[in-house]
Amino acid sequence: MTATNTYAILVIFCCAISFTFASDPDTLQDLCVALPSSGVKVNGFACKAETNVTEADFFFAGLSKPGVINNTLGSVVTAANVEKIPGLNTLGVSFSRIDYKAGGLNPPHTHPRATEIVFVLDGQLDVGFITTANKLISKSIKKGEIFVFPKGLVHYQKNSGDKPASVLSAFNSQLPGTFSVSAALFSSTPTVPDNVLAQAFQIDTKQVDDIKAKLAPKKS
Protein backbone atom coordinates (compact mmCIF):
# COMPACT_ATOMS: atom_id res chain seq x y z
CA MET A 1 0.00 0.00 0.00
CA THR A 2 1.49 3.33 -1.05
CA ALA A 3 1.74 6.35 1.26
CA THR A 4 -0.72 8.20 -0.98
CA ASN A 5 -3.29 5.41 -0.68
CA THR A 6 -2.76 5.21 3.07
CA TYR A 7 -3.44 8.89 3.63
CA ALA A 8 -6.40 8.84 1.23
CA ILE A 9 -7.97 6.03 3.25
CA LEU A 10 -7.46 7.91 6.50
CA VAL A 11 -9.01 11.07 5.06
CA ILE A 12 -12.08 9.07 4.12
CA PHE A 13 -12.25 7.56 7.62
CA CYS A 14 -11.81 10.98 9.15
CA CYS A 15 -14.78 12.30 7.17
CA ALA A 16 -16.85 9.22 7.92
CA ILE A 17 -16.32 9.41 11.65
CA SER A 18 -17.26 13.09 11.61
CA PHE A 19 -20.60 12.45 9.92
CA THR A 20 -21.45 9.11 11.52
CA PHE A 21 -20.50 9.82 15.11
CA ALA A 22 -20.89 13.61 15.14
CA SER A 23 -19.89 14.90 18.55
CA ASP A 24 -19.04 18.59 18.32
CA PRO A 25 -21.89 21.03 17.51
CA ASP A 26 -22.80 21.50 13.85
CA THR A 27 -21.35 24.52 12.06
CA LEU A 28 -23.49 27.59 11.37
CA GLN A 29 -21.21 29.04 8.69
CA ASP A 30 -18.72 27.87 6.04
CA LEU A 31 -15.75 28.28 8.35
CA CYS A 32 -14.74 29.68 11.71
CA VAL A 33 -10.95 29.75 11.93
CA ALA A 34 -9.94 29.74 15.59
CA LEU A 35 -8.69 32.98 17.12
CA PRO A 36 -7.47 31.99 20.61
CA SER A 37 -6.00 35.44 21.19
CA SER A 38 -9.48 37.00 21.28
CA GLY A 39 -9.95 35.98 24.91
CA VAL A 40 -13.64 35.25 24.28
CA LYS A 41 -14.79 32.11 26.12
CA VAL A 42 -17.13 29.98 24.00
CA ASN A 43 -17.64 26.24 23.41
CA GLY A 44 -14.73 26.20 20.99
CA PHE A 45 -12.87 29.33 19.88
CA ALA A 46 -13.98 32.70 18.58
CA CYS A 47 -13.72 33.16 14.81
CA LYS A 48 -10.99 35.01 12.97
CA ALA A 49 -12.27 37.64 10.53
CA GLU A 50 -12.75 35.85 7.21
CA THR A 51 -10.74 38.53 5.41
CA ASN A 52 -7.70 37.43 7.48
CA VAL A 53 -8.10 33.70 6.79
CA THR A 54 -5.36 32.05 4.69
CA GLU A 55 -4.48 28.56 3.50
CA ALA A 56 -2.06 28.28 6.43
CA ASP A 57 -5.06 28.07 8.77
CA PHE A 58 -5.99 24.72 7.19
CA PHE A 59 -2.52 23.16 6.83
CA PHE A 60 -0.22 21.14 9.10
CA ALA A 61 2.85 19.10 8.09
CA GLY A 62 3.60 17.68 11.52
CA LEU A 63 2.42 14.13 10.84
CA SER A 64 4.65 13.53 7.83
CA LYS A 65 7.46 11.93 9.83
CA PRO A 66 7.81 9.99 13.10
CA GLY A 67 7.76 11.93 16.34
CA VAL A 68 10.80 12.01 18.62
CA ILE A 69 10.35 9.60 21.54
CA ASN A 70 12.17 10.70 24.69
CA ASN A 71 10.19 9.13 27.53
CA THR A 72 10.30 5.87 29.45
CA LEU A 73 6.96 4.67 28.02
CA GLY A 74 8.40 4.44 24.52
CA SER A 75 5.67 6.28 22.63
CA VAL A 76 4.83 9.80 21.48
CA VAL A 77 1.59 11.36 20.23
CA THR A 78 1.69 14.15 17.66
CA ALA A 79 -1.69 15.87 17.60
CA ALA A 80 -3.27 17.62 14.63
CA ASN A 81 -6.19 19.30 16.36
CA VAL A 82 -7.62 22.82 16.45
CA GLU A 83 -4.64 24.00 18.49
CA LYS A 84 -2.38 23.11 15.55
CA ILE A 85 -4.86 23.70 12.68
CA PRO A 86 -7.07 26.72 13.49
CA GLY A 87 -9.29 25.94 10.50
CA LEU A 88 -10.62 22.86 12.33
CA ASN A 89 -12.60 25.09 14.68
CA THR A 90 -16.31 24.03 14.61
CA LEU A 91 -15.63 21.25 12.07
CA GLY A 92 -15.80 18.41 14.59
CA VAL A 93 -12.78 16.42 13.43
CA SER A 94 -9.07 16.03 14.21
CA PHE A 95 -6.13 13.69 13.68
CA SER A 96 -3.09 12.36 15.51
CA ARG A 97 -0.04 10.28 14.76
CA ILE A 98 1.32 7.91 17.41
CA ASP A 99 4.81 6.45 17.17
CA TYR A 100 6.11 3.60 19.34
CA LYS A 101 9.52 2.14 20.02
CA ALA A 102 9.76 -1.66 20.10
CA GLY A 103 7.73 -2.61 23.16
CA GLY A 104 6.48 0.97 23.54
CA LEU A 105 3.20 1.72 25.29
CA ASN A 106 0.53 4.40 24.94
CA PRO A 107 -0.75 3.90 28.49
CA PRO A 108 -4.39 3.60 29.59
CA HIS A 109 -6.25 6.85 28.91
CA THR A 110 -9.56 8.24 27.70
CA HIS A 111 -10.77 10.88 25.24
CA PRO A 112 -13.76 12.50 26.98
CA ARG A 113 -15.04 14.26 23.87
CA ALA A 114 -14.46 11.80 21.02
CA THR A 115 -14.52 8.32 19.56
CA GLU A 116 -11.12 7.31 18.13
CA ILE A 117 -10.36 5.14 15.11
CA VAL A 118 -6.76 4.04 14.50
CA PHE A 119 -5.14 2.86 11.28
CA VAL A 120 -1.82 1.01 11.56
CA LEU A 121 0.86 2.50 9.33
CA ASP A 122 3.65 0.15 10.39
CA GLY A 123 4.24 -2.62 12.88
CA GLN A 124 1.86 -4.57 15.08
CA LEU A 125 0.13 -3.60 18.29
CA ASP A 126 -1.92 -5.09 21.10
CA VAL A 127 -4.85 -2.74 21.68
CA GLY A 128 -7.90 -2.75 23.89
CA PHE A 129 -10.56 -0.81 25.75
CA ILE A 130 -12.57 -1.48 28.91
CA THR A 131 -16.36 -1.12 29.01
CA THR A 132 -18.35 0.26 31.93
CA ALA A 133 -19.23 -3.38 32.71
CA ASN A 134 -15.49 -3.90 33.31
CA LYS A 135 -15.07 -6.08 30.21
CA LEU A 136 -11.82 -5.88 28.26
CA ILE A 137 -12.24 -5.80 24.46
CA SER A 138 -8.80 -6.42 22.94
CA LYS A 139 -7.11 -7.48 19.74
CA SER A 140 -3.74 -7.64 18.01
CA ILE A 141 -3.64 -5.44 14.91
CA LYS A 142 -1.04 -5.02 12.18
CA LYS A 143 -0.18 -2.80 9.21
CA GLY A 144 -3.24 -1.79 7.20
CA GLU A 145 -5.74 -2.76 9.92
CA ILE A 146 -8.17 -0.61 11.92
CA PHE A 147 -9.49 -0.58 15.48
CA VAL A 148 -12.08 1.68 17.15
CA PHE A 149 -12.08 3.02 20.72
CA PRO A 150 -15.53 4.23 21.84
CA LYS A 151 -15.87 7.72 23.28
CA GLY A 152 -14.87 8.10 26.91
CA LEU A 153 -13.73 4.51 27.54
CA VAL A 154 -10.30 3.69 28.96
CA HIS A 155 -8.05 2.24 26.25
CA TYR A 156 -4.41 1.54 25.41
CA GLN A 157 -2.02 0.51 22.63
CA LYS A 158 1.22 -1.45 23.05
CA ASN A 159 3.76 -2.25 20.37
CA SER A 160 4.00 -6.02 20.54
CA GLY A 161 6.75 -6.28 17.94
CA ASP A 162 10.52 -5.93 18.01
CA LYS A 163 10.50 -2.99 15.56
CA PRO A 164 9.07 0.55 15.73
CA ALA A 165 5.36 0.95 14.98
CA SER A 166 3.10 3.86 14.10
CA VAL A 167 -0.61 4.59 13.69
CA LEU A 168 -2.82 7.40 12.47
CA SER A 169 -5.81 8.26 14.65
CA ALA A 170 -8.99 10.09 13.64
CA PHE A 171 -11.38 11.73 16.10
CA ASN A 172 -14.88 13.17 15.82
CA SER A 173 -13.92 16.27 17.76
CA GLN A 174 -11.71 19.25 17.00
CA LEU A 175 -10.16 18.83 20.46
CA PRO A 176 -10.88 15.34 21.86
CA GLY A 177 -8.91 15.80 25.08
CA THR A 178 -6.73 13.14 26.67
CA PHE A 179 -7.11 11.94 30.24
CA SER A 180 -4.21 9.69 31.28
CA VAL A 181 -5.38 7.43 34.09
CA SER A 182 -2.05 7.00 35.90
CA ALA A 183 -0.96 10.62 35.46
CA ALA A 184 -4.33 11.93 36.65
CA LEU A 185 -4.26 9.84 39.80
CA PHE A 186 -0.60 10.06 40.73
CA SER A 187 0.67 13.38 39.37
CA SER A 188 -2.26 15.80 39.56
CA THR A 189 -1.92 19.30 41.00
CA PRO A 190 -2.72 19.39 43.89
CA THR A 191 -2.00 15.71 44.37
CA VAL A 192 -4.62 13.14 45.34
CA PRO A 193 -4.06 12.34 49.05
CA ASP A 194 -1.80 9.35 49.63
CA ASN A 195 -4.29 7.64 51.94
CA VAL A 196 -6.99 7.80 49.25
CA LEU A 197 -4.75 6.14 46.66
CA ALA A 198 -3.39 3.62 49.16
CA GLN A 199 -6.90 2.49 50.09
CA ALA A 200 -8.14 2.48 46.48
CA PHE A 201 -5.25 0.34 45.21
CA GLN A 202 -4.75 -1.66 48.41
CA ILE A 203 -1.12 -0.61 48.76
CA ASP A 204 0.76 1.32 51.43
CA THR A 205 1.53 5.03 51.32
CA LYS A 206 5.24 4.43 50.67
CA GLN A 207 4.33 2.60 47.47
CA VAL A 208 2.06 5.54 46.55
CA ASP A 209 4.96 7.95 47.05
CA ASP A 210 7.24 5.75 44.93
CA ILE A 211 4.73 5.77 42.07
CA LYS A 212 4.23 9.53 42.34
CA ALA A 213 7.98 10.03 42.18
CA LYS A 214 8.24 7.94 39.00
CA LEU A 215 5.38 9.78 37.30
CA ALA A 216 6.31 13.29 38.42
CA PRO A 217 7.01 15.68 35.49
CA LYS A 218 10.72 15.87 34.76
CA LYS A 219 12.30 19.19 35.69
CA SER A 220 14.04 20.89 32.76
Side-chain angles (χ1 to χ4, degrees), residues 39-72:
V40 176
K41 300 295 184 182
V42 295
N43 191 21
F45 295 95
C47 306
K48 178 189 288 189
E50 194 164 338
T51 53
N52 296 329
V53 172
T54 71
E55 72 283 351
D57 293 315
F58 299 88
F59 177 79
F60 180 64
L63 306 188
S64 61
K65 56 185 178 181
V68 177
I69 302 172
N70 57 4
N71 57 62
T72 56

PDB file of all heavy atoms in Angstrom, residues 39-72:
ATOM      1  N   GLY A  39      -9.595  35.995  23.500  1.00  0.00           N
ATOM      2  CA  GLY A  39      -9.949  35.981  24.911  1.00  0.00           C
ATOM      3  C   GLY A  39     -11.412  35.689  25.172  1.00  0.00           C
ATOM      4  O   GLY A  39     -11.836  35.579  26.326  1.00  0.00           O
ATOM      5  N   VAL A  40     -12.216  35.555  24.119  1.00  0.00           N
ATOM      6  CA  VAL A  40     -13.637  35.249  24.277  1.00  0.00           C
ATOM      7  C   VAL A  40     -13.802  33.778  24.631  1.00  0.00           C
ATOM      8  O   VAL A  40     -13.239  32.907  23.965  1.00  0.00           O
ATOM      9  CB  VAL A  40     -14.417  35.574  22.978  1.00  0.00           C
ATOM     10  CG1 VAL A  40     -15.884  35.162  23.130  1.00  0.00           C
ATOM     11  CG2 VAL A  40     -14.312  37.055  22.658  1.00  0.00           C
ATOM     12  N   LYS A  41     -14.569  33.488  25.673  1.00  0.00           N
ATOM     13  CA  LYS A  41     -14.785  32.115  26.120  1.00  0.00           C
ATOM     14  C   LYS A  41     -16.090  31.585  25.533  1.00  0.00           C
ATOM     15  O   LYS A  41     -17.177  32.041  25.890  1.00  0.00           O
ATOM     16  CB  LYS A  41     -14.834  32.058  27.650  1.00  0.00           C
ATOM     17  CG  LYS A  41     -13.565  32.557  28.333  1.00  0.00           C
ATOM     18  CD  LYS A  41     -12.363  31.668  28.017  1.00  0.00           C
ATOM     19  CE  LYS A  41     -11.129  32.124  28.771  1.00  0.00           C
ATOM     20  NZ  LYS A  41      -9.948  31.314  28.455  1.00  0.00           N
ATOM     21  N   VAL A  42     -15.965  30.632  24.598  1.00  0.00           N
ATOM     22  CA  VAL A  42     -17.127  29.983  24.001  1.00  0.00           C
ATOM     23  C   VAL A  42     -16.867  28.491  23.977  1.00  0.00           C
ATOM     24  O   VAL A  42     -15.793  28.032  24.359  1.00  0.00           O
ATOM     25  CB  VAL A  42     -17.392  30.489  22.560  1.00  0.00           C
ATOM     26  CG1 VAL A  42     -17.778  31.952  22.569  1.00  0.00           C
ATOM     27  CG2 VAL A  42     -16.178  30.257  21.670  1.00  0.00           C
ATOM     28  N   ASN A  43     -17.835  27.688  23.515  1.00  0.00           N
ATOM     29  CA  ASN A  43     -17.637  26.244  23.411  1.00  0.00           C
ATOM     30  C   ASN A  43     -16.877  25.958  22.127  1.00  0.00           C
ATOM     31  O   ASN A  43     -17.422  25.501  21.132  1.00  0.00           O
ATOM     32  CB  ASN A  43     -18.982  25.521  23.409  1.00  0.00           C
ATOM     33  CG  ASN A  43     -18.811  24.016  23.563  1.00  0.00           C
ATOM     34  OD1 ASN A  43     -17.784  23.552  24.048  1.00  0.00           O
ATOM     35  ND2 ASN A  43     -19.803  23.264  23.141  1.00  0.00           N
ATOM     36  N   GLY A  44     -15.588  26.202  22.174  1.00  0.00           N
ATOM     37  CA  GLY A  44     -14.731  26.203  20.993  1.00  0.00           C
ATOM     38  C   GLY A  44     -13.910  27.477  21.055  1.00  0.00           C
ATOM     39  O   GLY A  44     -13.564  27.946  22.136  1.00  0.00           O
ATOM     40  N   PHE A  45     -13.624  28.076  19.916  1.00  0.00           N
ATOM     41  CA  PHE A  45     -12.874  29.325  19.880  1.00  0.00           C
ATOM     42  C   PHE A  45     -13.642  30.357  19.068  1.00  0.00           C
ATOM     43  O   PHE A  45     -14.424  30.020  18.183  1.00  0.00           O
ATOM     44  CB  PHE A  45     -11.488  29.114  19.245  1.00  0.00           C
ATOM     45  CG  PHE A  45     -10.581  28.223  20.044  1.00  0.00           C
ATOM     46  CD1 PHE A  45     -10.493  26.868  19.761  1.00  0.00           C
ATOM     47  CD2 PHE A  45      -9.831  28.736  21.082  1.00  0.00           C
ATOM     48  CE1 PHE A  45      -9.666  26.032  20.496  1.00  0.00           C
ATOM     49  CE2 PHE A  45      -8.992  27.912  21.830  1.00  0.00           C
ATOM     50  CZ  PHE A  45      -8.910  26.565  21.534  1.00  0.00           C
ATOM     51  N   ALA A  46     -13.403  31.622  19.381  1.00  0.00           N
ATOM     52  CA  ALA A  46     -13.977  32.699  18.578  1.00  0.00           C
ATOM     53  C   ALA A  46     -13.406  32.635  17.166  1.00  0.00           C
ATOM     54  O   ALA A  46     -12.349  32.044  16.930  1.00  0.00           O
ATOM     55  CB  ALA A  46     -13.660  34.045  19.218  1.00  0.00           C
ATOM     56  N   CYS A  47     -14.119  33.243  16.215  1.00  0.00           N
ATOM     57  CA  CYS A  47     -13.722  33.164  14.807  1.00  0.00           C
ATOM     58  C   CYS A  47     -12.822  34.323  14.393  1.00  0.00           C
ATOM     59  O   CYS A  47     -13.082  35.476  14.741  1.00  0.00           O
ATOM     60  CB  CYS A  47     -14.944  33.171  13.895  1.00  0.00           C
ATOM     61  SG  CYS A  47     -16.174  31.910  14.250  1.00  0.00           S
ATOM     62  N   LYS A  48     -11.820  33.999  13.624  1.00  0.00           N
ATOM     63  CA  LYS A  48     -10.993  35.010  12.971  1.00  0.00           C
ATOM     64  C   LYS A  48     -11.816  35.674  11.866  1.00  0.00           C
ATOM     65  O   LYS A  48     -12.657  35.027  11.223  1.00  0.00           O
ATOM     66  CB  LYS A  48      -9.753  34.343  12.371  1.00  0.00           C
ATOM     67  CG  LYS A  48      -8.837  35.293  11.615  1.00  0.00           C
ATOM     68  CD  LYS A  48      -7.747  34.528  10.852  1.00  0.00           C
ATOM     69  CE  LYS A  48      -6.707  33.942  11.754  1.00  0.00           C
ATOM     70  NZ  LYS A  48      -5.552  33.397  10.973  1.00  0.00           N
ATOM     71  N   ALA A  49     -11.589  36.958  11.631  1.00  0.00           N
ATOM     72  CA  ALA A  49     -12.269  37.640  10.530  1.00  0.00           C
ATOM     73  C   ALA A  49     -11.940  36.930   9.222  1.00  0.00           C
ATOM     74  O   ALA A  49     -10.774  36.612   8.949  1.00  0.00           O
ATOM     75  CB  ALA A  49     -11.837  39.101  10.461  1.00  0.00           C
ATOM     76  N   GLU A  50     -12.966  36.642   8.419  1.00  0.00           N
ATOM     77  CA  GLU A  50     -12.750  35.851   7.208  1.00  0.00           C
ATOM     78  C   GLU A  50     -11.771  36.518   6.251  1.00  0.00           C
ATOM     79  O   GLU A  50     -11.070  35.838   5.497  1.00  0.00           O
ATOM     80  CB  GLU A  50     -14.084  35.583   6.508  1.00  0.00           C
ATOM     81  CG  GLU A  50     -13.981  34.512   5.450  1.00  0.00           C
ATOM     82  CD  GLU A  50     -15.331  33.973   5.016  1.00  0.00           C
ATOM     83  OE1 GLU A  50     -16.303  34.097   5.787  1.00  0.00           O
ATOM     84  OE2 GLU A  50     -15.398  33.418   3.904  1.00  0.00           O
ATOM     85  N   THR A  51     -11.686  37.826   6.289  1.00  0.00           N
ATOM     86  CA  THR A  51     -10.740  38.530   5.408  1.00  0.00           C
ATOM     87  C   THR A  51      -9.293  38.224   5.786  1.00  0.00           C
ATOM     88  O   THR A  51      -8.387  38.406   4.968  1.00  0.00           O
ATOM     89  CB  THR A  51     -10.971  40.048   5.474  1.00  0.00           C
ATOM     90  OG1 THR A  51     -10.936  40.471   6.849  1.00  0.00           O
ATOM     91  CG2 THR A  51     -12.307  40.425   4.859  1.00  0.00           C
ATOM     92  N   ASN A  52      -9.072  37.740   7.025  1.00  0.00           N
ATOM     93  CA  ASN A  52      -7.705  37.429   7.475  1.00  0.00           C
ATOM     94  C   ASN A  52      -7.370  35.943   7.378  1.00  0.00           C
ATOM     95  O   ASN A  52      -6.276  35.529   7.740  1.00  0.00           O
ATOM     96  CB  ASN A  52      -7.522  37.883   8.930  1.00  0.00           C
ATOM     97  CG  ASN A  52      -7.652  39.373   9.093  1.00  0.00           C
ATOM     98  OD1 ASN A  52      -7.322  40.138   8.184  1.00  0.00           O
ATOM     99  ND2 ASN A  52      -8.145  39.817  10.250  1.00  0.00           N
ATOM    100  N   VAL A  53      -8.311  35.145   6.903  1.00  0.00           N
ATOM    101  CA  VAL A  53      -8.097  33.701   6.785  1.00  0.00           C
ATOM    102  C   VAL A  53      -7.209  33.391   5.584  1.00  0.00           C
ATOM    103  O   VAL A  53      -7.377  33.979   4.510  1.00  0.00           O
ATOM    104  CB  VAL A  53      -9.449  32.968   6.635  1.00  0.00           C
ATOM    105  CG1 VAL A  53      -9.233  31.494   6.310  1.00  0.00           C
ATOM    106  CG2 VAL A  53     -10.270  33.120   7.909  1.00  0.00           C
ATOM    107  N   THR A  54      -6.243  32.472   5.778  1.00  0.00           N
ATOM    108  CA  THR A  54      -5.356  32.048   4.693  1.00  0.00           C
ATOM    109  C   THR A  54      -5.290  30.533   4.644  1.00  0.00           C
ATOM    110  O   THR A  54      -5.802  29.837   5.537  1.00  0.00           O
ATOM    111  CB  THR A  54      -3.925  32.591   4.880  1.00  0.00           C
ATOM    112  OG1 THR A  54      -3.312  31.900   5.983  1.00  0.00           O
ATOM    113  CG2 THR A  54      -3.935  34.091   5.148  1.00  0.00           C
ATOM    114  N   GLU A  55      -4.630  30.012   3.625  1.00  0.00           N
ATOM    115  CA  GLU A  55      -4.481  28.559   3.503  1.00  0.00           C
ATOM    116  C   GLU A  55      -3.695  27.972   4.669  1.00  0.00           C
ATOM    117  O   GLU A  55      -3.870  26.794   5.017  1.00  0.00           O
ATOM    118  CB  GLU A  55      -3.801  28.199   2.168  1.00  0.00           C
ATOM    119  CG  GLU A  55      -2.324  28.527   2.064  1.00  0.00           C
ATOM    120  CD  GLU A  55      -2.036  30.011   1.828  1.00  0.00           C
ATOM    121  OE1 GLU A  55      -2.993  30.773   1.581  1.00  0.00           O
ATOM    122  OE2 GLU A  55      -0.853  30.392   1.879  1.00  0.00           O
ATOM    123  N   ALA A  56      -2.859  28.768   5.307  1.00  0.00           N
ATOM    124  CA  ALA A  56      -2.058  28.277   6.428  1.00  0.00           C
ATOM    125  C   ALA A  56      -2.944  27.859   7.603  1.00  0.00           C
ATOM    126  O   ALA A  56      -2.549  27.013   8.414  1.00  0.00           O
ATOM    127  CB  ALA A  56      -1.069  29.339   6.881  1.00  0.00           C
ATOM    128  N   ASP A  57      -4.136  28.423   7.695  1.00  0.00           N
ATOM    129  CA  ASP A  57      -5.055  28.073   8.775  1.00  0.00           C
ATOM    130  C   ASP A  57      -5.610  26.656   8.634  1.00  0.00           C
ATOM    131  O   ASP A  57      -6.195  26.124   9.575  1.00  0.00           O
ATOM    132  CB  ASP A  57      -6.226  29.064   8.812  1.00  0.00           C
ATOM    133  CG  ASP A  57      -5.788  30.463   9.214  1.00  0.00           C
ATOM    134  OD1 ASP A  57      -5.013  30.587  10.173  1.00  0.00           O
ATOM    135  OD2 ASP A  57      -6.229  31.432   8.558  1.00  0.00           O
ATOM    136  N   PHE A  58      -5.430  26.044   7.468  1.00  0.00           N
ATOM    137  CA  PHE A  58      -5.988  24.720   7.189  1.00  0.00           C
ATOM    138  C   PHE A  58      -4.901  23.684   6.895  1.00  0.00           C
ATOM    139  O   PHE A  58      -5.207  22.591   6.410  1.00  0.00           O
ATOM    140  CB  PHE A  58      -6.951  24.798   5.998  1.00  0.00           C
ATOM    141  CG  PHE A  58      -8.121  25.710   6.254  1.00  0.00           C
ATOM    142  CD1 PHE A  58      -8.033  27.064   5.971  1.00  0.00           C
ATOM    143  CD2 PHE A  58      -9.291  25.220   6.797  1.00  0.00           C
ATOM    144  CE1 PHE A  58      -9.092  27.916   6.216  1.00  0.00           C
ATOM    145  CE2 PHE A  58     -10.365  26.061   7.050  1.00  0.00           C
ATOM    146  CZ  PHE A  58     -10.272  27.416   6.763  1.00  0.00           C
ATOM    147  N   PHE A  59      -3.643  24.017   7.213  1.00  0.00           N
ATOM    148  CA  PHE A  59      -2.517  23.161   6.832  1.00  0.00           C
ATOM    149  C   PHE A  59      -1.670  22.826   8.047  1.00  0.00           C
ATOM    150  O   PHE A  59      -1.474  23.639   8.953  1.00  0.00           O
ATOM    151  CB  PHE A  59      -1.654  23.882   5.797  1.00  0.00           C
ATOM    152  CG  PHE A  59      -0.419  23.105   5.401  1.00  0.00           C
ATOM    153  CD1 PHE A  59      -0.500  22.050   4.502  1.00  0.00           C
ATOM    154  CD2 PHE A  59       0.820  23.426   5.936  1.00  0.00           C
ATOM    155  CE1 PHE A  59       0.633  21.329   4.145  1.00  0.00           C
ATOM    156  CE2 PHE A  59       1.960  22.713   5.590  1.00  0.00           C
ATOM    157  CZ  PHE A  59       1.866  21.664   4.686  1.00  0.00           C
ATOM    158  N   PHE A  60      -1.143  21.582   8.052  1.00  0.00           N
ATOM    159  CA  PHE A  60      -0.216  21.142   9.100  1.00  0.00           C
ATOM    160  C   PHE A  60       0.630  20.014   8.539  1.00  0.00           C
ATOM    161  O   PHE A  60       0.093  19.041   7.990  1.00  0.00           O
ATOM    162  CB  PHE A  60      -0.998  20.654  10.323  1.00  0.00           C
ATOM    163  CG  PHE A  60      -0.147  20.182  11.463  1.00  0.00           C
ATOM    164  CD1 PHE A  60       0.703  21.047  12.139  1.00  0.00           C
ATOM    165  CD2 PHE A  60      -0.216  18.859  11.898  1.00  0.00           C
ATOM    166  CE1 PHE A  60       1.475  20.614  13.215  1.00  0.00           C
ATOM    167  CE2 PHE A  60       0.547  18.410  12.963  1.00  0.00           C
ATOM    168  CZ  PHE A  60       1.394  19.296  13.623  1.00  0.00           C
ATOM    169  N   ALA A  61       1.946  20.118   8.650  1.00  0.00           N
ATOM    170  CA  ALA A  61       2.850  19.104   8.094  1.00  0.00           C
ATOM    171  C   ALA A  61       3.453  18.209   9.172  1.00  0.00           C
ATOM    172  O   ALA A  61       4.325  17.397   8.895  1.00  0.00           O
ATOM    173  CB  ALA A  61       3.976  19.793   7.310  1.00  0.00           C
ATOM    174  N   GLY A  62       2.958  18.341  10.392  1.00  0.00           N
ATOM    175  CA  GLY A  62       3.597  17.677  11.521  1.00  0.00           C
ATOM    176  C   GLY A  62       3.446  16.177  11.610  1.00  0.00           C
ATOM    177  O   GLY A  62       4.091  15.551  12.451  1.00  0.00           O
ATOM    178  N   LEU A  63       2.595  15.580  10.777  1.00  0.00           N
ATOM    179  CA  LEU A  63       2.415  14.130  10.838  1.00  0.00           C
ATOM    180  C   LEU A  63       3.186  13.393   9.745  1.00  0.00           C
ATOM    181  O   LEU A  63       3.064  12.178   9.607  1.00  0.00           O
ATOM    182  CB  LEU A  63       0.922  13.768  10.713  1.00  0.00           C
ATOM    183  CG  LEU A  63      -0.038  14.425  11.689  1.00  0.00           C
ATOM    184  CD1 LEU A  63      -1.427  13.808  11.551  1.00  0.00           C
ATOM    185  CD2 LEU A  63       0.451  14.321  13.113  1.00  0.00           C
ATOM    186  N   SER A  64       3.984  14.131   8.990  1.00  0.00           N
ATOM    187  CA  SER A  64       4.648  13.532   7.829  1.00  0.00           C
ATOM    188  C   SER A  64       5.836  12.641   8.194  1.00  0.00           C
ATOM    189  O   SER A  64       6.289  11.845   7.372  1.00  0.00           O
ATOM    190  CB  SER A  64       5.115  14.635   6.873  1.00  0.00           C
ATOM    191  OG  SER A  64       6.038  15.495   7.519  1.00  0.00           O
ATOM    192  N   LYS A  65       6.334  12.768   9.416  1.00  0.00           N
ATOM    193  CA  LYS A  65       7.464  11.933   9.829  1.00  0.00           C
ATOM    194  C   LYS A  65       7.293  11.522  11.289  1.00  0.00           C
ATOM    195  O   LYS A  65       6.527  12.157  12.035  1.00  0.00           O
ATOM    196  CB  LYS A  65       8.790  12.678   9.638  1.00  0.00           C
ATOM    197  CG  LYS A  65       8.864  14.016  10.354  1.00  0.00           C
ATOM    198  CD  LYS A  65      10.158  14.741  10.014  1.00  0.00           C
ATOM    199  CE  LYS A  65      10.222  16.102  10.699  1.00  0.00           C
ATOM    200  NZ  LYS A  65      11.460  16.827  10.364  1.00  0.00           N
ATOM    201  N   PRO A  66       7.967  10.477  11.719  1.00  0.00           N
ATOM    202  CA  PRO A  66       7.808   9.989  13.095  1.00  0.00           C
ATOM    203  C   PRO A  66       8.163  11.049  14.129  1.00  0.00           C
ATOM    204  O   PRO A  66       9.070  11.862  13.930  1.00  0.00           O
ATOM    205  CB  PRO A  66       8.782   8.806  13.168  1.00  0.00           C
ATOM    206  CG  PRO A  66       8.944   8.366  11.753  1.00  0.00           C
ATOM    207  CD  PRO A  66       8.864   9.616  10.933  1.00  0.00           C
ATOM    208  N   GLY A  67       7.437  11.033  15.240  1.00  0.00           N
ATOM    209  CA  GLY A  67       7.756  11.928  16.337  1.00  0.00           C
ATOM    210  C   GLY A  67       8.974  11.437  17.099  1.00  0.00           C
ATOM    211  O   GLY A  67       9.343  10.264  17.019  1.00  0.00           O
ATOM    212  N   VAL A  68       9.610  12.354  17.826  1.00  0.00           N
ATOM    213  CA  VAL A  68      10.797  12.008  18.617  1.00  0.00           C
ATOM    214  C   VAL A  68      10.351  11.467  19.976  1.00  0.00           C
ATOM    215  O   VAL A  68       9.634  12.138  20.724  1.00  0.00           O
ATOM    216  CB  VAL A  68      11.701  13.237  18.809  1.00  0.00           C
ATOM    217  CG1 VAL A  68      12.891  12.886  19.697  1.00  0.00           C
ATOM    218  CG2 VAL A  68      12.164  13.777  17.465  1.00  0.00           C
ATOM    219  N   ILE A  69      10.751  10.249  20.289  1.00  0.00           N
ATOM    220  CA  ILE A  69      10.352   9.599  21.539  1.00  0.00           C
ATOM    221  C   ILE A  69      11.463   9.779  22.568  1.00  0.00           C
ATOM    222  O   ILE A  69      12.576   9.307  22.378  1.00  0.00           O
ATOM    223  CB  ILE A  69      10.082   8.103  21.315  1.00  0.00           C
ATOM    224  CG1 ILE A  69       8.986   7.911  20.266  1.00  0.00           C
ATOM    225  CG2 ILE A  69       9.697   7.427  22.629  1.00  0.00           C
ATOM    226  CD1 ILE A  69       8.787   6.472  19.840  1.00  0.00           C
ATOM    227  N   ASN A  70      11.142  10.477  23.659  1.00  0.00           N
ATOM    228  CA  ASN A  70      12.170  10.699  24.687  1.00  0.00           C
ATOM    229  C   ASN A  70      11.592  10.490  26.090  1.00  0.00           C
ATOM    230  O   ASN A  70      11.860  11.264  27.013  1.00  0.00           O
ATOM    231  CB  ASN A  70      12.783  12.099  24.556  1.00  0.00           C
ATOM    232  CG  ASN A  70      11.743  13.197  24.649  1.00  0.00           C
ATOM    233  OD1 ASN A  70      10.568  12.923  24.884  1.00  0.00           O
ATOM    234  ND2 ASN A  70      12.165  14.441  24.480  1.00  0.00           N
ATOM    235  N   ASN A  71      10.766   9.446  26.227  1.00  0.00           N
ATOM    236  CA  ASN A  71      10.193   9.133  27.530  1.00  0.00           C
ATOM    237  C   ASN A  71      10.335   7.645  27.805  1.00  0.00           C
ATOM    238  O   ASN A  71      10.668   6.854  26.928  1.00  0.00           O
ATOM    239  CB  ASN A  71       8.718   9.549  27.588  1.00  0.00           C
ATOM    240  CG  ASN A  71       7.894   8.896  26.492  1.00  0.00           C
ATOM    241  OD1 ASN A  71       7.769   7.677  26.429  1.00  0.00           O
ATOM    242  ND2 ASN A  71       7.328   9.703  25.601  1.00  0.00           N
ATOM    243  N   THR A  72      10.093   7.262  29.043  1.00  0.00           N
ATOM    244  CA  THR A  72      10.298   5.865  29.448  1.00  0.00           C
ATOM    245  C   THR A  72       9.187   4.941  28.953  1.00  0.00           C
ATOM    246  O   THR A  72       9.358   3.718  28.949  1.00  0.00           O
ATOM    247  CB  THR A  72      10.377   5.760  30.978  1.00  0.00           C
ATOM    248  OG1 THR A  72       9.185   6.332  31.552  1.00  0.00           O
ATOM    249  CG2 THR A  72      11.586   6.516  31.511  1.00  0.00           C
TER     250      THR A  72
END
